[in-house]
Amino acid sequence: MENVKIGIIGIGNMGSSHAVYLNNGEVNGAILTAVCDTNPERLQWAKEALGENVQTFDNVEAFFEFANIDAVIVATPHYDHPPLAIKTLEKGLHVLVEKPAGVYTKNVREMNEVAKKSGKVFGIMFNQRTNPLYQKLRELVHNGELGEIKRTNWIITNWYRSQSYYDSGGWRATWAGEGGGVLLNQDPHQLDLWQWTSGLMPKRVRAFCGFGKFHDIEVEDDVTAYVEYENGATGVFVTSTGDAPGTNRYEISGDRGKLVVEDGKLTFWRLTQSERQFNKEYKGGFGEPECWKIDVPIHGEATQHKGITQNWVNSIRFGTELLGPGEEGIKGLEISNAMHLSAWTDDWVELPINEDLFYSKLQERIKTSTYQKKTVANKTLNVQGTH
Amino acid sequence: MENVKIGIIGIGNMGSSHAVYLNNGEVNGAILTAVCDTNPERLQWAKEALGENVQTFDNVEAFFEFANIDAVIVATPHYDHPPLAIKTLEKGLHVLVEKPAGVYTKNVREMNEVAKKSGKVFGIMFNQRTNPLYQKLRELVHNGELGEIKRTNWIITNWYRSQSYYDSGGWRATWAGEGGGVLLNQDPHQLDLWQWTSGLMPKRVRAFCGFGKFHDIEVEDDVTAYVEYENGATGVFVTSTGDAPGTNRYEISGDRGKLVVEDGKLTFWRLTQSERQFNKEYKGGFGEPECWKIDVPIHGEATQHKGITQNWVNSIRFGTELLGPGEEGIKGLEISNAMHLSAWTDDWVELPINEDLFYSKLQERIKTSTYQKKTVANKTLNVQGTH
């Protein structure tokens, strides 16, 4: 296949970043041919920044009818990811959706089904899967080095956002516009990496959220969640956009020791024997298995968004494996939906969640919202190094 | 006052350790004069190890009638702490109780009331309060350096215990013998330091426990708890005796940054301005307040048990302030009781807890227990460096 001709729907914060690196020829075998946005200012920017060879559209109908494209990146607000991805796939085009896969699993599941039937390459922008730290962590878990998992614990409070961030877009941090806060906007990466690296999906979830706790917003900016897995292991997930400086520390403990990712380092406290075996056989009262602290060497660099786009383009061209298959987007989203539902019902939520209940509870929040944005700038923010 | 003549009730793991350093003259102004234990083997050990000048008693009635003592250290299994402390105080003697203050707050409250009326010096063995790390942490919180607290998070899973530990005493890890597991035996220090350093008691508690999850015991060896404080701050407490190697990481975040105690170090990420103020005033979208990472110098060493005993003896002799006032023992215990109650009822527990409900739920567990210890060694373990 020659160059994959790519169109982008939504050229706000993320979409414009994709547009720029594609237009600079930084992705092999890909060429940016069209962009689409309903905001005239963004189209004006596109004309100036991307040049005359890139078509611009102010509505998706025209985009799908007239754009010269093989594949589409969907970088709109979250609610539109599934319907636009479905539309793209139904047009016989490949699609790469920004995270999160959507706002509720009900229509993400539909998107997955359409994708499956389409035979097209369906990716999701899980750029943090390109991080060799998490790749190595996943490898050590998946190849059995850690043994059976006992506990996971992710403190991911380093998503600090000031009020001006929330004021930068009318859709931001509203039930109608985003369908959630830190869980939907900032955490899709961690919620995905949590299940991807551990290989475990929770069996049940219990969460406590602060809604507009640190900011003048109506959605959650503070979450503490506890989960149980099928094998009896437990997990904790704490997140916030109100802590400065926050923490990003992810620990997984297992039968053969403990893995911790923090400060860009992966440390493996590796037992020289199984703890479960030691527990049974040791007769000395106090005492624990011998443990080696290992600084795990990490090779390579995270190729991030560009890496995911390259990987998706390669898959289109050569049929190679996707690092972020689109169908997997539902996993982190289901955990996110379960956390919301648990906070709303103040109760445990079993997985798979009741999708209709979640959807109706979300609609309630949209309909009864009395929140009014005080200042809306609709600014496009520089996202360099933030997502 | 001349030397304080000290008697010890209970010379198992902890009591024998107190006996040895007192008998070696390592506490100024104190002299060990008597010990009491119902176990003949322990009394035999006392005769051999402590010499002829130390009286030995095999029952507390005789001990209180005939021992030549001014003050008593109560180092029995937990249930007996309040009744023996009350007895000691009613005899007009000073008392130092081992942690925990008791098993349920109902009778610990009674002990506190008796102590208050007695005018005697009533201490509790919160030896970890002698640790300059936690003293400095407390100072930085209490003098306002951290600003208003937003979040606390203690992962204290480095209380690893093997099955042989639990098998070393018939009372261990049973509802009848200890009234709980990791919360009652290992965590009283952290539960105390959690409230002592933060200056906050939870308003409500939600906890999830694994009972006999990692060991053949009937009580909890795995706890995940979430709390809310009066000011809206939240906290997480995760503990276990089944993780090897465990983690001991305590984080407090506040308006002026973040404090972390880990690996024997205290680190202060200190903002140069209030985050709440920055949040309101900053207009740049992404961005956060300037932060300085500070390795806080720690001076001195933890004097541990001997330090607490010395401090208690000084208070008896000179009226100096106690580092671990006995009345404060109820605080950590109430958090512990609330965690149990929450796990048993699978619901939130508000503080102050319903003490009668807790007591009756505990009695249920004692009465309906079907747990049988398979092997009981009644070994006295060397506790050097473990508590």
Side-chain angles (χ1 to χ4, degrees):
Chain A
M1 191 180 190
E2 288 178 18
N3 278 344
V4 179
K5 296 189 286 292
I6 296 178
I8 300 177
I9 309 178
I11 46 170
N13 290 355
M14 294 310 309
S16 59
S17 156
H18 301 316
V20 169
Y21 66 70
L22 280 167
N23 203 44
N24 287 346
E26 295 177 43
V27 173
N28 292 331
I31 179 169
L32 181 71
T33 54
V35 296
C36 176
D37 204 300
T38 53
N39 181 344
E41 286 177 26
R42 297 310 302 148
L43 291 179
Q44 188 57 39
W45 168 84
K47 282 178 181 128
E48 289 162 17
L50 305 173
E52 288 183 1
N53 294 332
V54 176
Q55 299 169 278
T56 57
F57 298 91
D58 65 2
N59 68 87
V60 288
E61 288 72 25
F63 172 82
F64 279 116
E65 195 166 345
F66 301 112
N68 178 24
I69 49 176
D70 304 313
V72 172
I73 297 178
V74 177
T76 59
H78 322 324
Y79 274 107
D80 294 331
H81 294 173
L84 288 173
I86 288 171
K87 197 156 193 165
T88 304
L89 291 160
E90 287 177 345
K91 292 280 178 187
L93 306 168
H94 308 285
V95 68
L96 176 62
V97 294
E98 259 296 342
K99 54 86 203 168
V103 173
Y104 46 96
T105 52
K106 210 171 143 77
N107 67 347
V108 170
R109 196 173 300 282
E110 199 187 322
M111 169 174 74
N112 285 357
E113 280 158 18
V114 171
K116 200 174 175 184
K117 285 180 203 148
S118 74
K120 295 293 155 186
V121 178
F122 170 39
I124 184 162
M125 188 51 82
F126 281 148
N127 52 290
Q128 298 210 13
R129 286 196 185 185
T130 69
N131 189 330
L133 263 175
Y134 296 112
Q135 292 180 345
K136 190 70 187 175
L137 177 69
R138 181 170 188 264
E139 180 191 317
L140 292 173
V141 172
H142 285 243
N143 71 10
E145 274 286 323
L146 186 66
E148 186 165 9
I149 291 178
K150 292 174 180 173
R151 189 183 313 281
T152 68
N153 191 311
W154 203 328
I155 307 175
I156 172 68
T157 53
N158 75 341
W159 284 121
Y160 183 72
R161 294 291 182 266
S162 68
Q163 187 62 41
S164 64
Y165 163 82
Y166 290 109
D167 295 343
S168 72
W171 59 283
R172 275 194 199 285
T174 60
W175 293 118
E178 280 205 275
V182 64
L183 289 174
L184 266 288
N185 193 306
Q186 284 77 30
D187 287 324
H189 295 302
Q190 284 76 33
L191 291 171
D192 175 59
L193 292 176
W194 195 19
Q195 67 79 23
W196 187 64
T197 56
S198 68
L200 296 176
M201 278 291 285
K203 190 182 67 175
R204 59 176 191 155
V205 171
R206 191 86 170 74
F208 317 95
C209 298
F211 298 95
K213 181 172 180 178
F214 296 114
H215 306 91
D216 181 19
I217 56 175
E218 63 180 1
V219 296
E220 82 287 352
D221 54 5
D222 186 57
V223 178
T224 305
Y226 166 84
V227 305
E228 279 182 347
Y229 301 105
E230 201 62 58
N231 73 344
T234 60
V236 169
F237 191 86
V238 178
T239 191
S240 158
T241 58
D243 293 38
T247 292
N248 183 358
R249 182 183 186 280
Y250 177 27
E251 169 176 325
I252 311 182
S253 78
D255 183 40
R256 300 297 297 249
K258 177 173 82 166
L259 286 158
V260 176
V261 174
E262 193 176 11
D263 297 330
K265 282 176 221 146
L266 172 60
T267 311
F268 187 10
W269 282 264
R270 184 176 180 279
L271 302 183
T272 56
Q273 67 174 109
S274 148
E275 180 283 317
R276 296 285 72 201
Q277 196 182 337
F278 178 90
N279 176 62
K280 279 189 211 128
E281 294 172 0
Y282 180 69
K283 297 298 168 206
F286 296 107
E288 42 189 299
E290 183 177 332
C291 177
W292 299 351
K293 184 181 175 189
I294 299 162
D295 298 322
V296 180
I298 302 298
H299 301 292
E301 279 188 30
T303 53
Q304 296 293 0
H305 303 91
K306 211 188 303 176
I308 290 289
T309 305
Q310 182 69 67
N311 170 264
W312 172 65
V313 166
N314 290 349
S315 183
I316 294 170
R317 297 177 75 204
F318 314 118
T320 48
E321 208 178 341
L322 283 176
L323 184 57
E327 306 82 52
E328 294 185 11
I330 201 166
K331 294 186 178 184
L333 182 66
E334 182 158 22
I335 303 173
S336 162
N337 283 184
M339 288 179 183
H340 270 127
L341 194 52
S342 173
W344 292 338
T345 59
D346 194 11
D347 203 354
W348 285 105
V349 169
E350 308 267 337
L351 268 69
I353 67 161
N354 181 332
E355 297 186 342
D356 292 320
L357 181 65
F358 176 84
Y359 182 76
S360 71
K361 292 268 176 200
L362 175 62
Q363 295 308 311
E364 268 176 42
R365 262 144 203 91
I366 294 170
K367 278 176 202 142
T368 60
S369 171
T370 56
Y371 176 76
Q372 292 283 338
K373 283 245 169 181
K374 286 203 189 68
T375 52
V376 175
N378 266 322
K379 278 166 70 175
T380 301
L381 302 170
N382 179 355
V383 295
Q384 199 68 40
T386 61
H387 286 259
Chain B
M1 190 181 192
E2 291 180 15
N3 279 342
V4 179
K5 295 188 289 291
I6 295 177
I8 299 176
I9 309 179
I11 45 169
N13 290 355
M14 293 311 309
S16 59
S17 155
H18 301 316
V20 168
Y21 66 70
L22 281 166
N23 203 45
N24 287 347
E26 294 177 42
V27 172
N28 292 330
I31 180 170
L32 180 71
T33 54
V35 295
C36 176
D37 204 299
T38 53
N39 180 344
E41 285 176 26
R42 297 311 302 149
L43 291 178
Q44 188 56 38
W45 168 84
K47 282 179 182 129
E48 289 162 17
L50 305 173
E52 288 183 2
N53 293 332
V54 177
Q55 299 171 279
T56 56
F57 298 91
D58 65 3
N59 68 86
V60 287
E61 290 71 25
F63 171 81
F64 280 117
E65 195 167 344
F66 301 111
N68 177 24
I69 50 177
D70 303 313
V72 172
I73 297 177
V74 177
T76 59
H78 321 325
Y79 274 106
D80 293 331
H81 295 174
L84 288 173
I86 288 171
K87 196 155 196 168
T88 304
L89 291 160
E90 286 177 345
K91 292 279 177 187
L93 306 169
H94 307 286
V95 68
L96 177 62
V97 292
E98 259 296 343
K99 55 85 202 170
V103 173
Y104 47 95
T105 53
K106 210 172 143 81
N107 68 346
V108 170
R109 197 172 300 283
E110 197 188 322
M111 169 174 74
N112 284 358
E113 280 158 17
V114 171
K116 199 173 176 186
K117 285 181 202 146
S118 75
K120 295 294 156 185
V121 178
F122 170 40
I124 183 162
M125 187 54 79
F126 281 148
N127 51 292
Q128 298 210 11
R129 286 196 186 186
T130 69
N131 188 331
L133 263 175
Y134 295 112
Q135 292 180 347
K136 190 70 187 176
L137 177 70
R138 180 171 189 263
E139 181 191 317
L140 292 173
V141 172
H142 285 244
N143 71 10
E145 275 285 323
L146 186 67
E148 187 166 7
I149 290 177
K150 291 174 182 172
R151 190 184 311 282
T152 68
N153 190 311
W154 204 329
I155 306 174
I156 172 68
T157 51
N158 75 341
W159 284 122
Y160 183 72
R161 296 291 183 266
S162 67
Q163 186 62 40
S164 64
Y165 163 83
Y166 290 110
D167 295 341
S168 72
W171 60 285
R172 274 194 200 286
T174 61
W175 293 117
E178 280 205 272
V182 63
L183 289 173
L184 266 287
N185 193 306
Q186 283 78 29
D187 287 324
H189 295 301
Q190 284 76 33
L191 292 170
D192 175 60
L193 293 175
W194 195 20
Q195 66 80 24
W196 187 64
T197 56
S198 69
L200 296 176
M201 278 290 285
K203 190 181 68 174
R204 59 176 190 154
V205 171
R206 192 85 170 73
F208 316 94
C209 298
F211 298 95
K213 182 173 180 176
F214 297 114
H215 306 90
D216 181 20
I217 56 175
E218 63 181 0
V219 297
E220 82 287 352
D221 53 5
D222 186 55
V223 179
T224 305
Y226 166 85
V227 305
E228 279 183 346
Y229 301 105
E230 201 62 57
N231 72 345
T234 59
V236 168
F237 191 87
V238 178
T239 191
S240 158
T241 57
D243 292 37
T247 292
N248 183 357
R249 182 182 184 280
Y250 178 28
E251 168 175 326
I252 312 182
S253 79
D255 184 39
R256 301 299 297 249
K258 176 175 84 167
L259 287 158
V260 176
V261 175
E262 192 177 11
D263 296 331
K265 283 177 219 143
L266 172 59
T267 310
F268 186 10
W269 283 263
R270 184 176 180 278
L271 302 182
T272 56
Q273 68 174 108
S274 149
E275 181 282 319
R276 296 286 71 202
Q277 197 181 335
F278 177 91
N279 176 61
K280 278 189 211 127
E281 295 172 1
Y282 180 69
K283 296 298 168 208
F286 296 106
E288 43 190 298
E290 183 177 332
C291 177
W292 298 352
K293 185 181 173 187
I294 299 161
D295 298 321
V296 179
I298 302 297
H299 300 292
E301 280 188 30
T303 53
Q304 296 293 0
H305 303 91
K306 213 190 300 179
I308 289 289
T309 305
Q310 182 70 67
N311 170 265
W312 172 65
V313 165
N314 291 349
S315 184
I316 294 169
R317 296 176 74 202
F318 313 120
T320 46
E321 207 177 341
L322 282 178
L323 183 58
E327 306 81 55
E328 295 184 12
I330 201 167
K331 294 185 177 183
L333 183 65
E334 182 158 23
I335 303 173
S336 161
N337 284 184
M339 289 179 182
H340 270 126
L341 195 51
S342 173
W344 292 336
T345 59
D346 195 11
D347 204 352
W348 285 104
V349 169
E350 308 267 336
L351 270 70
I353 66 162
N354 181 333
E355 297 185 341
D356 292 321
L357 181 63
F358 177 85
Y359 183 76
S360 71
K361 292 268 177 200
L362 175 61
Q363 295 309 309
E364 267 176 42
R365 263 145 201 89
I366 295 170
K367 278 176 202 142
T368 59
S369 169
T370 56
Y371 175 77
Q372 293 283 337
K373 284 248 171 184
K374 286 205 188 67
T375 52
V376 175
N378 267 320
K379 278 165 71 176
T380 301
L381 302 171
N382 181 355
V383 294
Q384 198 71 36
T386 61
H387 286 257

